[in-house]
Amino acid sequence: MPIRVGVIGAGIMGADHIRNLSTTIGGAEVTFVADLDAGRAAAAAAPAARITTDPSELINSSEVDAVVVSSHDSTHAGLVLECFEAMTPVLCEKPLAPTLLESLEVAAADADIVAATGASLLSLGFMRRFDPGYVALRQSVQDRVQGEPLMVHCTSRNAAAGPGTTSESAITNSAIHELDIIPWLLDSRIMEVSWQAGRSSRHADGGLRDPAFMMLRTADGTVTTLELFLNAQYGYTTRCEVVSERGTTGLNDSALLGVQQAGLSQTAIPADWRLRFADAYRLQLQAWISALAQGEQPPLAGAQDGLNASLVAQAMIQSLRSDGAYTKVSYS
């Protein structure tokens, strides 16, 4: 029998998850879709799926075996906790929550479930862990192909920031990917951060200083730089290069890769990040569904990973509010 999945949130990501689960993921069936906009839920849902504007109805439905949460960041913690109450496995899009307090609450509840049952119900959608480029880069680092890693350089650019984006939400919603992937890549915790900004693009709204430049230092002494530019205008690109003792290793040029996949001219760079990470999203969903079908713990990021990223994000926000002062990350 397929895993019957309910998807909460039928926006950009939710609709993409519904499409993947319905067409490319083996062993899954979308049976229920919830969105505050009933019309949007109906447009995204498969013909046989039920729709609702009440996510609690979906979570507690006997027609749902597992839940995907792809609604607004502000809803993540509450919906995950509802899934815990229903003892329903849940895949929550990143971030775990936009605030540290909420992340701590979810992580504590997850720990209680693990203590009682021996397994977690929560999987977290840090999809870069499934991207073939990042997986290959991590393997190269672990094998020390170019020697010991010394520095990492990351670039993340979007065509345009979402409405209402602030410098703080740029960290918790966008930079959060690097705050997760760098410890995963280097197998070393982020211990200290700094946030910097200079001239801001005229396309950035008043609450957002854009671009921003961030520095991260992991416990092994490796320094990572991140340029985050949410209003780059030309399209979406993400890059990561590891500088090691004998050479450098990086991702393929993601902008060109996206162009090639879309069949576009090299002067046109897609604005949609999902094109660049289409394989990662599919591989992550399939790993989640396959593990649930086998009664195993899904090999995705979990509550502790989400909490760790939130702790680093909180330190980064503190640095932002302290004129870029280096700020230590407290894991205690």
Side-chain angles (χ1 to χ4, degrees), residues 106-327:
V106 173
D110 176 75
D112 288 343
I113 290 174
V114 172
T117 68
S120 172
L121 294 171
L122 176 62
S123 297
L124 196 55
F126 280 123
M127 84 294 180
R128 293 189 188 186
R129 294 176 177 223
F130 286 84
D131 176 70
Y134 275 103
V135 170
L137 183 57
R138 184 183 192 229
Q139 190 63 56
S140 176
V141 171
Q142 289 185 335
D143 292 345
R144 298 301 193 258
V145 172
Q146 301 287 359
E148 290 296 320
L150 305 174
M151 300 185 75
V152 182
H153 299 297
C154 301
T155 302
S156 183
R157 297 176 185 151
N158 285 59
T165 300
T166 65
S167 293
E168 288 84 356
S169 68
I171 293 169
T172 60
N173 181 266
S174 296
I176 200 78
H177 278 296
E178 277 77 18
L179 305 188
D180 171 73
I181 208 67
I182 292 304
W184 177 84
L185 188 67
L186 299 174
D187 195 24
S188 184
R189 274 183 169 182
I190 297 169
M191 304 304 295
E192 188 177 35
V193 301
S194 175
W195 182 97
Q196 306 284 336
R199 296 183 63 188
S200 195
S201 167
R202 62 186 175 87
H203 300 289
D205 292 334
L208 173 66
R209 295 176 67 186
D210 187 51
F213 188 79
M214 305 176 207
M215 295 184 67
L216 323 167
R217 189 187 305 274
T218 45
D220 63 2
T222 305
V223 170
T224 295
T225 66
L226 167 61
E227 175 210 312
L228 181 67
F229 192 8
L230 299 185
N231 289 282
Q233 300 299 297
Y234 69 85
Y236 177 81
T237 38
T238 184
R239 296 187 178 97
C240 183
E241 179 187 38
V242 180
V243 180
S244 301
E245 292 175 313
R246 297 193 302 271
T248 66
T249 312
L251 300 175
N252 291 329
D253 187 298
S254 56
L256 180 58
L257 180 63
V259 168
Q260 291 169 339
Q261 289 176 338
L264 304 173
S265 70
Q266 292 189 15
T267 57
I269 297 177
D272 191 341
W273 75 92
R274 293 173 301 169
L275 181 62
R276 166 62 182 83
F277 287 108
D279 287 341
Y281 284 117
R282 286 195 297 269
L283 290 167
Q284 178 179 252
L285 277 173
Q286 187 63 71
W288 183 60
I289 290 295
S290 296
L292 293 181
Q294 295 297 321
E296 300 172 352
Q297 187 70 52
L300 282 69
Q304 189 61 53
D305 299 303
L307 176 57
N308 288 347
S310 291
L311 287 165
V312 179
Q314 180 64 31
M316 192 71 76
I317 290 171
Q318 184 178 337
S319 175
L320 180 160
R321 294 172 177 171
S322 305
D323 296 323
Y326 277 91
T327 304

Side-chain angles (χ1 to χ4, degrees), residues 39-114:
R40 186 164 59 184
R50 292 179 59 190
I51 63 169
T52 182
T53 58
D54 180 9
S56 296
E57 180 186 2
L58 181 154
I59 291 169
N60 293 287
S61 171
S62 60
E63 299 174 29
V64 169
D65 302 316
V67 172
V68 172
V69 173
S70 52
S71 47
H72 192 272
D73 293 0
S74 62
T75 69
H76 287 188
L79 293 173
V80 168
L81 290 172
E82 279 198 58
C83 289
F84 287 176
E85 290 178 7
M87 293 303 290
T88 301
V90 53
L91 168 54
C92 180
E93 268 299 324
K94 62 78 198 166
L96 181 58
T99 69
L100 178 56
L101 186 62
E102 291 172 299
S103 295
L104 286 165
E105 183 180 6
V106 173
D110 176 75
D112 288 343
I113 290 174
V114 172

